[in-house]
């Protein structure tokens, strides 16, 4: 087998494509496609600096295309990736959970566990522990701590939608 630059770029493209299977963000797939296109440049006999320039240009075009245009088409409806902490969760009702390994009380928002603090309590020594299953309404984040307030006793149809 002849190890010319085109073959090496194709191997890089395949490895990036395989690595994409572990992420699902389509970034590595876009980089793999850029590497495959760069293999075509190497096959045409362009020198290494031109290959690297081509890889940069292809990556600069394909990565934003994959992230901003293609990925949203494959995302489930109603899921806004990258928005946790931007305020879209404000006012949603969640149920508290207790984490197994350290007993911390928190809520799961978009699949991630966040410790909580009740908003009406003192910031330094505020209430951070609630019984599991307590309904709380998310207000904002303070770093990685979810600031919540207790939900009204009336049933909330969103409570089951946002809990896991």
């Amino acid at each position: 087998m002849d190890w010319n630059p085109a073959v090496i770029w194709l191997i890089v493209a395949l490895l990036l494509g395989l690595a994409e299977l572990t992420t699902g963000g389509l970034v590595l797939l876009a980089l793999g496609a850029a590497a495959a296109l760069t293999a075509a440049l190497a096959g045409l006999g362009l020198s290494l600096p031109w290959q690297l320039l081509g890889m940069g240009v292809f990556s600069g075009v394909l990565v934003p295309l994959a992230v901003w245009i293609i990925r949203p088409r494959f995302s489930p409806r109603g899921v806004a990736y990258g928005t946790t902490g931007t305020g879209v969760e404000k006012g949603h009702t969640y149920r508290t959970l207790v984490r197994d390994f350290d007993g911390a009380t928190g809520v799961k928002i978009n699949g991630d566990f966040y410790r909580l603090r009740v908003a009406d309590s003192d910031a330094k020594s505020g209430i951070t522990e609630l019984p599991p299953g307590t309904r709380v309404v998310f207000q904002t984040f303070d770093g990685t701590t979810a600031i919540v307030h207790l939900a009204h006793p009336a049933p909330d149809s969103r409570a089951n939608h946002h809990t896991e």
Side-chain angles (χ1 to χ4, degrees), residues 70-123:
I70 297 172
R71 182 174 60 181
R73 296 181 194 275
F74 291 99
S75 298
R77 187 170 296 283
V79 174
Y81 291 108
T83 58
T84 301
T86 60
V88 295
E89 306 86 2
K90 185 174 183 172
H92 289 190
T93 303
Y94 298 91
R95 292 199 183 274
T96 59
L97 304 165
V98 175
R99 196 162 47 187
D100 291 337
F101 69 89
D102 66 353
T105 302
V107 291
K108 264 197 174 180
I109 301 174
N110 292 339
D112 294 322
F113 181 87
Y114 295 94
R115 293 183 90 134
L116 64 81
R117 185 174 71 233
V118 178
D120 301 331
S121 62
D122 181 26

